[in-house]
Every structure is written in structure tokens, then in C-alpha cells.
Amino acid sequence: MASISALVEAFMVSERGVANILPSESVTAQAVAATRFYAGFASLESPPTDGAEIAGLVELSVSEWAEIRPLFVLYVERETALQIEATRGMGADVFGRSTSEVGAEISQLEADFPRRVFFQPIITV
């Protein structure tokens, strides 16, 4: 198990490197948002203690991260697109997908999340 902050750090160093324009706080916020969405449909193996909110220190299992990661990556891409589109007024060239394109993919993934992550063990009598 690894904390959300550690998973974000690994993502930023190993997968995005210099291509990432967002500060680590913004990327962590996207991971927390994706984890909160996941927690709406499935129980975390290591939930926050004492009624605390989900934050960067929450530990995620490999299987939880496997389900959360695609949504997290899309959230990061949308946030990046927002930042890039904001520079359009200063004459910068916009590259990558637009926020609406990424938003449509997020909506599709979020709509499928209940089916993908919900689990109820079968009990026979």
C-alpha cells in the first residue's frame, strides 16, 4: 500500500516528468478528488481514521489505485487543459485536447464507475 502523495510523486517523476506543468499540490488535489469519487462506490481498504476526510496521507492498495488511476489521469489532463486554455488570451498556442474533450471522457468514465468498482460479497444461507 502507498499513500496518495507517494503515488502522485511517482506519477510526476516517472510518468510525466518535465511534461507536467501543474504544481504537485494541484496534482495531489486531482488524486484526492478521484479517490473521493471512488470512495462513493467502494470502501477503501485503509479508510481515513477518526472521521477525517480523504487526503494525501490516505493509503491505497494496488487494486484501488488501478481503478482510481484512469480517472486521476483524466482529471490531471483536464486541469492541464484549463491552464493551457487560460494562456490563450496572452497569444500562446494551445496544444493537446480541449477541456470539453477531456470532460466528455471523464463523464463517460464516471458513469461507468459504479459498475466497475462496486462490490458486494455473495452470502449464501
Side-chain angles (χ1 to χ4, degrees):
M1 300 207 16
S3 71
I4 292 173
S5 296
L7 293 165
V8 165
E9 182 67 25
F11 172 81
M12 291 179 68
V13 171
S14 302
E15 296 181 45
R16 290 296 188 251
V18 296
N20 181 45
I21 64 168
L22 299 175
S24 61
E25 298 82 21
S26 293
V27 179
T28 301
Q30 301 312 309
V32 168
T35 303
R36 286 181 178 154
F37 190 81
Y38 172 87
F41 302 102
S43 298
L44 294 173
E45 286 183 34
S46 179
T49 57
D50 302 327
E53 288 209 18
I54 294 172
L57 297 177
V58 169
E59 301 260 327
L60 298 175
S61 69
V62 173
S63 60
E64 289 170 334
W65 184 242
E67 291 291 343
I68 294 168
R69 188 182 175 284
L71 186 60
F72 158 70
V73 170
L74 286 173
Y75 283 178
V76 169
E77 186 179 356
R78 179 180 58 191
E79 187 64 25
T80 301
L82 282 169
Q83 298 295 324
I84 291 170
E85 288 175 2
T87 65
R88 185 179 291 159
M90 296 184 289
D93 266 345
V94 177
F95 59 92
R97 296 195 296 173
S98 69
T99 54
S100 61
E101 290 172 317
V102 178
E105 194 170 338
I106 289 171
S107 295
Q108 184 178 10
L109 185 59
E110 286 179 342
D112 195 39
F113 236 62
R115 183 193 63 78
R116 290 180 54 202
V117 303
F118 179 78
F119 172 75
Q120 178 64 40
I122 298 172
I123 301 172
T124 58
V125 192

